[in-house]
Amino acid sequence: MTEPPAYDLTLYPDPVLRKRSEDVAVDDALSALVAGMFARMYASGGVGLAAPQIGLKKRVLVLNPEGDPAKPEGEMVLINPTLVERSGPATVFEEGCLSFPGIYAEVERPERCVVRALDRQGQPVELSLEGYVSRIVQHEYDHLEGVLLVDRMSAADRARHRGALEALVERYKRGLAKAARR
Ligand code: CO
C-alpha cells in the first residue's frame, strides 16, 4: 500500500479557514486526499478534520468518533456535503478544534442533523445523525462555510481564551514574516 500524502495542520487565523469551500470531483486524487486527511487527524488526536484545516478550500470531511485508527468502523467520509436539517433540543458540549490547539469551549448545537453527501466511493448518501457524531459533523461542516470555534463560543469564553487566541495570531504573523524572508 502506498503511503498517504503528508499534510500539516492549518491553524487559526490563516485566512483559508474563513473561505467557503468548493465542491470536488471523486477521483483517485480525492482518495489520496482522504487517506492523508485521516492520517493527519489520527496523528493529531482528532475525531474530525475538514479540508480547509490542511489548507485546501475543498468540501471534504473525514471523521471517526472513536478517534482510533484501530477502529476504522467508526470512519465516515463526507464529500460535497449539505446539511439539510438541524433539529432537536439544543445541547451544550465542550468542543476542541485542531486549528485551535489547546483551546476548548462549550458550544450549543441542535442535537440532530441530516446530511446529504457523497461517500468515499462517490455514492450519494443521506444520514440522520444524533449525539456525538451529529456534533462532529456540525462542527466540521462549519469549517466548509468558514465558521470557526471562536465564532461559536460564548463571549465569556472568548474573553477567557483571549491570551491563547492572541498567541495564535502572533504565531501566524511570525510564520508570514519568516516566509517573506525566504
Ligand atoms: Co475544527
Side-chain angles (χ1 to χ4, degrees):
M1 207 183 126
T2 51
E3 286 283 308
Y7 297 115
D8 289 329
L9 285 176
T10 298
L11 303 183
Y12 174 83
D14 191 307
V16 72
L17 294 171
R18 288 303 190 183
K19 301 280 195 288
R20 186 172 189 275
S21 290
E22 290 158 9
D23 281 353
V24 296
V26 178
D27 54 18
D28 290 347
L30 181 68
S31 300
L33 170 65
V34 165
M37 285 178 66
F38 272 121
R40 177 73 274 159
M41 184 190 85
Y42 289 129
S44 297
V47 291
L49 189 71
Q53 296 183 276
I54 54 163
L56 300 174
K57 225 172 56 179
K58 294 173 186 276
R59 296 183 78 79
V60 179
L61 306 180
V62 303
L63 55 138
N64 184 348
E66 306 282 352
D68 182 349
K71 295 176 179 167
E73 64 276 11
E75 288 186 355
M76 188 181 286
V77 178
L78 298 173
I79 311 296
N80 305 339
T82 309
L83 211 47
V84 293
E85 196 185 310
R86 301 177 209 230
S87 63
T91 57
V92 175
F93 194 82
E94 189 179 72
E95 295 187 9
C97 179
L98 294 179
S99 295
F100 292 82
I103 296 178
Y104 297 88
E106 291 191 328
V107 176
E108 186 179 295
R109 297 186 189 276
E111 172 70 14
R112 288 184 285 275
C113 69
V114 177
V115 63
R116 271 186 214 135
L118 303 177
D119 67 13
R120 64 207 299 176
Q121 281 84 36
Q123 297 303 309
V125 291
E126 182 173 306
L127 304 167
S128 297
L129 306 171
E130 60 179 27
Y132 192 39
V133 66
S134 165
R135 178 164 289 269
I136 298 169
V137 166
Q138 290 182 60
H139 174 111
E140 300 310 333
Y141 188 83
D142 271 352
H143 278 296
L144 303 184
E145 302 296 315
V147 176
L148 298 173
L149 181 61
V150 68
D151 311 323
R152 295 283 192 196
M153 65 177 66
S154 67
D157 274 341
R158 212 172 297 128
R160 187 163 64 87
H161 290 303
R162 208 176 76 187
L165 291 165
E166 282 173 359
L168 283 171
V169 171
E170 287 309 311
R171 176 179 170 167
Y172 178 71
K173 284 184 189 160
R174 280 199 305 276
L176 286 185
K178 201 172 153 188
R181 281 198 302 275
R182 261 190 217 122

